[in-house]
Amino acid sequence: MLCIDDPSELDLHYAPVEYLVREAAQQWERDEAMALRRAVFCIEQGIFTRDDRDATDDRSQLLVAMSCNGGMPEQVVGTVRIHRGETEGEWWGSRLAVHPAFRSQGHLGVTLIRLAVSRANAQGCEAFFAQVQMQNVPLFRKLGWQLLEETTVHGRPHARMQADLGWYPPCHDPVSGFVTRAKVLA
């Protein structure tokens, strides 16, 4: 039995050990994902003025990464959206965002990318693309993506990239999604 005389000796910094990455299934998940996107793309990066929503949101599937407490989803800490493109078999991913406090935890961006492409792959995707901010190109290359061209999106340097679908087996159960664990810091 642990006996602590002085509560100030306790380390009260909670850090989740597990994250659930899945398709948004409840309204609170969608609401928190939109709030996170606003925080990242409007406030932190200043790409948009008030809101980053656009017509693509009406036809997208929203994926979320959630921190878990006792195995239960607690807070949306990452998000990405996927949608069909203009030609048959073409899919796109966009608005990948991870909360700054969780960017070094649990490979959340990687797991969101994995679910995005795997989910599209299960729905008939023949080619998956994204406009990637230039600082993220090395990460996407490590994940089997090819740089097609450098471009500018919303006044910022980006790269149009394509995923190698062979790296991403189809995910037919987007609500169960994937679980990733926090990195252990030594």
Side-chain angles (χ1 to χ4, degrees):
M1 183 165 128
L2 178 63
C3 219
I4 297 184
D5 296 325
D6 183 359
S8 66
E9 293 176 13
L10 286 172
D11 179 11
L12 299 177
H13 294 101
Y14 165 74
V17 295
E18 189 174 88
Y19 301 89
L20 175 61
V21 181
R22 71 177 190 193
E23 187 171 332
Q26 298 180 33
Q27 189 60 47
W28 74 266
E29 297 168 0
R30 289 184 282 282
D31 293 344
E32 284 193 17
M34 292 298 121
L36 176 60
R37 282 179 27 184
R38 276 189 300 282
V40 170
F41 297 117
C42 300
I43 298 167
E44 178 185 342
Q45 295 183 3
I47 295 173
F48 303 99
T49 305
R50 290 186 183 95
D51 198 355
D52 73 312
R53 293 182 201 211
D54 60 20
T56 301
D57 286 309
D58 296 335
R59 57 187 176 93
S60 296
Q61 296 170 37
L62 188 63
L63 309 178
V64 293
M66 296 177 287
S67 61
C68 295
N69 187 0
M72 296 300 297
E74 180 176 64
Q75 175 188 358
V76 173
V77 297
T79 187
V80 67
R81 67 183 182 184
I82 61 171
H83 58 90
R84 294 181 193 276
E86 294 181 11
T87 62
E88 186 69 29
E90 177 184 290
W91 280 75
W92 286 82
S94 58
R95 300 293 202 270
L96 174 65
V98 176
H99 188 289
F102 293 88
R103 288 184 184 150
S104 63
Q105 294 296 313
H107 312 285
L108 297 175
V110 169
T111 308
L112 282 161
I113 294 164
R114 190 174 123 220
L115 181 59
V117 182
S118 294
R119 185 65 194 126
N121 202 356
Q123 297 176 82
C125 177
E126 296 171 9
F128 193 96
F129 301 97
Q131 301 283 14
V132 177
Q133 292 183 13
M134 290 305 291
Q135 70 268 20
N136 296 323
V137 168
L139 169 66
F140 278 76
R141 282 189 166 160
K142 287 180 187 176
L143 300 174
W145 289 63
Q146 177 185 5
L147 189 149
L148 302 176
E149 70 175 332
E150 292 185 14
T151 186
T152 301
V153 178
H154 300 293
R156 307 273 174 114
H158 280 68
R160 188 167 62 87
M161 299 188 78
Q162 182 175 1
D164 178 346
L165 295 179
W167 284 51
Y168 301 93
C171 174
H172 296 282
D173 185 2
V175 176
S176 292
F178 301 134
V179 173
T180 186
R181 298 194 55 84
K183 294 179 184 177
V184 177
L185 301 176

